[in-house]
Amino acid sequence: MISNIAEDEDKWLAEGIAGIQHNAFYMHRSLDSNNLREALKYSAQMLSELRTSRLSPHKYYELYMRAFDELRKLEIFFKDESKHGCSIIDLYELVQHAGNILPRLYLLCTVGSVYIKSKEAPAKDVLKDLVEMCRGVQHPIRGLFLRSYLSQVSRDKLPDIGSDYEGDADTVMDAVEFVLQNFTEMNKLWVRMQHQGPGRAKEKQEKERSELRDLVGKNLHVLSQIEGIDLEMYKDTVLPRVLEQVVNCKDELAQYYLMDCIIQVFPDEYHLQTLETLLGACPQLQPTVDIKTVLSQLMERLSNYAASSAEVLPDFLQVEAFAKLSSAIGKVIEAQVDMPVVGAITLYVSLLTFTLRVHPDRLDYVDQVLGACVKKLCGKPKLEDSKATKQIVALLSAPLEKYNDIVTALTLSNYPRVMDHLDNGTNKIMAMVIIQSIMKNSTCISTADKVEALFELIKGLIKDLDGFPVDELDEEDFKDEQNSVARLIHMFYNDDPEEMLKIICTVKKHIMTGGSRRLPFTVPPLIFSALRLVRRLQGQEGDVVGEEEPATPKKIFQLLNQAANDCDLEPVAYEFFTQAFILYEEEIADSKAQVTAIHLIIGTLQRMNVFGVENRDTLTHKATGYSAKLLKKPDQCRAVYACSHLFWVDDQDGIKDGERVMLCLKRALRIANAAQQMATVARGSSGPVTLFVEILNKYIYFFEKGNSQVTSSAIQGLIELITSEMQSESTTPDPSSDAFFASTMRYIQFQKQKGGAMGEKYDSIKA
Amino acid sequence: MVLVLALGDLHIPHRAPDLPPKFKSMLVPGKIQHIICTGNLCIKEVHDYLKSLCPDMHVTRGEYDEDSRYLETKTLTIGQFKLGICHGHQVIPWGDLDSLAMLQRQLDVDILVTGHTHQFKAYKHEGGVVINPGSATGAYSSITYDVNPSFVLMDIDGLRVVVYVYELIDGEVKVDKIDFKKTATTNSAH
């Protein structure tokens, strides 16, 4: 059934076009032979095709355009009096004899255009006549197109100031009157469309009406182009008249479109000065009109206007733009009870953007907007609509981006209240946005109060919120979140140690609620923050951290050791070492991790000078013992010779126990030998001699430091051992150990050639 | 002229939130041919950021690095120079130049880049040069008090390397440079 109609329409359109072409052909012939009568006859016939009621607006437009093109040729003919011999005034009279009104009026408009151009009559008179005569066509589609034609041909002939057709003192007013009248009549026709035509589906009707809206809107565009209109005239005449028509037509489609049109077409400074009038019209519109979009558009335009130049800002203050907009929005939200939450939030977002652009220093305005939002959200369950949440995130992000300083946002009392209304997922997203803003701007948070307020905002990241267990979260995302929190902790700083201590305690209080999954991320940065503070408080009791932190890597303990060392707190340091060893025994099973851990223990212990002899002995004994028990022999060897440094510290009061150094080195040598033999047994060839070369280097190290236990003959012996190993048939050649040995020997040579005390030392060693 | 960026011990996020903004603005992608990182980044984010500065990146493992695939030591050749990288927590005593010289002999390299002490050092000895770029973020260290953020840029040209060290002191970036020339005879057996 429907496809039939579409087919029929195409058929009718084709017929119409054929009709136009047919008559146009004869019209052209008449024009060529300068036959006015014939030309008028055929053009009237041609225009009769436009009398059809059978076409939808879309198809009618096609027909219209064909006619339009042909009429241009006719107009050229009319203009040239020499061709047809008829004066323009007579022509104007002549065309009115056409039989049917529609062709008559099209021809009249065409002649009218020529008439105005000839300047034989004032433009205003011709225009007035035409716009009145068009009343004869009351059919909506036909009337709209006719008046559109009038508008098109008259566009460049308005009696505007500075135009060729300028009239007397009221000339601009005449132009305005003409356009306003045309607009008013067109709008009436347009609105009437919805009542016409039996059985037309509402949707189809709306679609058709939509297609025609630009015809109506064009008039407003023309108005905006009239140069002679100044702010006064706009304020006093143009806007009130347009708004009157908009309100009185009581048509939802028209009202929405035209309000939008007004906002888009006229300059922003006009809108600013007529804000009250414009906003005043809003409550008078039909309740079903999507006024919030209109308001949002208006605010966006005004925001952009404010951003464009600082000079216009005082105007905003002068007209009290914020107050007016704010109250208008309030009224709209109140009136439209069924407006979904997302609509209200969008309005507030637009208002907030406006406020941030125009009144950035008025934090009270910003807070007011947020407060209004809270009021709207109050009493409703947590938002689930994703569009609404997106809008709220936009709402909350705007102040962050504007002020680049989270501290400002923290002063907005309604900010956390808005956040409370977000669902947990979005709350966390917002928290991340906040953290990123801080990181990007390198903002330093300097008081415990601010830290407290901040943690309140980002609490979704700090701990499990009700009903949202941590397990549900993606592993990667969780890591990113917690790493962000970790980095955030470093942004808290104050020069004043007391305040810093308060900050640290506040942070500790909050992260402790995080649960075991979060602590490994959040505790280390706090500890380091505390250590930095301790260092500043050097010498004072700084026992800020120290309780159990589950799952903390033992490496932290090393640093705590060192810190305790710095503070001369031997018992505390000893306790830390004990804990470290216990962790080593119980928690570190991976052999690679063990190697690293033992090196950390040895390295730390080597630097500690706070221990008395007994304690130090116990610890070094433990360290050496664990070294020898590592899984792989090469690792054992290396750890043990590293332990040799535990007994030799280069400071002036440092321990320098040459014997125990040698014991370690000899033990390392034994392990190296054993490793060598194992390799022989297992693989049928000796392993690389690297370990021996390493130990040789250690011998040299202590030899140079003056350890009497390391004799030149010991070194010589080791050199010979290595050389024979390398030359042995069963050894697989290893280029890197060869190179290592070679560079070691080069070093010995270099030292020998140095002369002086060093050269003497090396004298007995043969390279 | 080959530019090599050497840095390390950033300790993000445990000890520092990020590189200092003044450093970040200097480190622009596309200007550097190689990056050498001594370790302790510590998280993937930092790895990705450095990689974006230059795709040829060499990292060794620091004791806090989360990525276990980093090696303990690494060697590479750039122009006429052999470079070695090691974080340094494995070399005891920490920061001891003689022990580091031993590592240098073991790796058989002209330039050894290590970290761990968070203190810039450039030390020349008979076997070559030991460079410690310090901590790029000025992270806390138990070994060094008052850590200033620093990193090193090496300009390798033929047998000469110029070492530029950038340090952030009291909010200002200070630059220093040291020249090293390699004599042809110190080439090793390879």
Side-chain angles (χ1 to χ4, degrees), chain A residues 386-448:
Chain A
S386 70
K387 281 200 219 120
T389 44
K390 263 206 203 116
Q391 286 297 332
I392 296 206
V393 172
L395 187 74
L396 292 171
S397 306
L400 291 179
E401 279 159 26
K402 175 71 189 180
Y403 297 118
N404 275 339
D405 181 6
I406 187 67
V407 180
T408 314
L410 288 176
T411 62
L412 298 168
S413 63
N414 285 308
Y415 199 93
R417 291 192 203 134
V418 176
M419 278 193 75
D420 277 338
H421 286 277
L422 289 170
D423 66 282
N424 289 337
T426 319
N427 201 309
K428 290 215 263 180
I429 293 175
M430 200 55 225
M432 289 295 279
V433 169
I434 291 175
I435 295 183
Q436 272 151 16
S437 160
I438 296 175
M439 300 307 299
K440 192 177 78 154
N441 297 305
S442 302
T443 320
C444 178
I445 318 272
S446 58
T447 69

Side-chain angles (χ1 to χ4, degrees), chain B residues 52-149:
Chain B
S52 76
L53 294 178
C54 163
D56 190 43
M57 187 166 119
H58 305 270
V59 190
T60 47
R61 203 175 76 84
E63 74 273 33
Y64 285 91
D65 275 313
E66 284 186 6
D67 192 339
S68 54
R69 291 170 301 175
Y70 296 151
L71 300 169
E72 299 285 320
T73 64
K74 216 172 185 201
T75 56
L76 64 151
T77 308
I78 297 177
Q80 302 278 352
F81 285 88
K82 289 213 292 289
L83 292 95
I85 321 170
C86 176
H87 177 249
H89 65 271
Q90 309 92 329
V91 180
I92 290 162
W94 293 333
D96 181 71
L97 291 166
D98 292 316
S99 301
L100 288 172
M102 166 181 153
L103 178 61
Q104 184 155 17
R105 289 193 282 274
Q106 184 167 10
L107 296 177
D108 191 35
V109 291
D110 304 307
I111 302 174
L112 176 66
V113 184
T114 71
H116 189 58
T117 62
H118 296 210
Q119 193 180 39
F120 164 72
K121 272 248 169 4
Y123 170 67
K124 182 168 165 57
H125 61 102
E126 70 74 42
V129 177
V130 177
I131 295 178
N132 185 332
S135 161
T137 54
Y140 176 92
S141 161
S142 61
I143 303 169
T144 311
Y145 269 51
D146 282 336
V147 181
N148 286 320

Side-chain angles (χ1 to χ4, degrees), chain A residues 675-686:
Chain A
Q676 199 70 319
Q677 283 167 10
M678 273 173 66
T680 313
V681 168
R683 281 179 248 132
S685 69
S686 325

Side-chain angles (χ1 to χ4, degrees), chain A residues 151-202:
Chain A
S151 178
Q152 269 176 295
V153 300
S154 65
R155 235 198 127 133
D156 53 343
K157 303 174 183 78
L158 296 176
D160 192 5
I161 290 185
S163 89
D164 288 339
Y165 310 103
E166 191 174 344
D168 55 25
D170 278 328
T171 181
V172 180
M173 208 47 226
D174 296 328
V176 170
E177 265 308 324
F178 167 72
V179 180
L180 277 177
Q181 209 176 338
N182 204 24
F183 162 73
T184 308
E185 295 304 316
M186 281 178 84
N187 196 34
K188 285 188 192 157
L189 289 169
W190 189 38
V191 170
R192 193 181 307 150
M193 264 183 82
Q194 62 183 304
H195 302 303
Q196 85 165 94
R200 278 200 149 146
K202 184 158 195 287

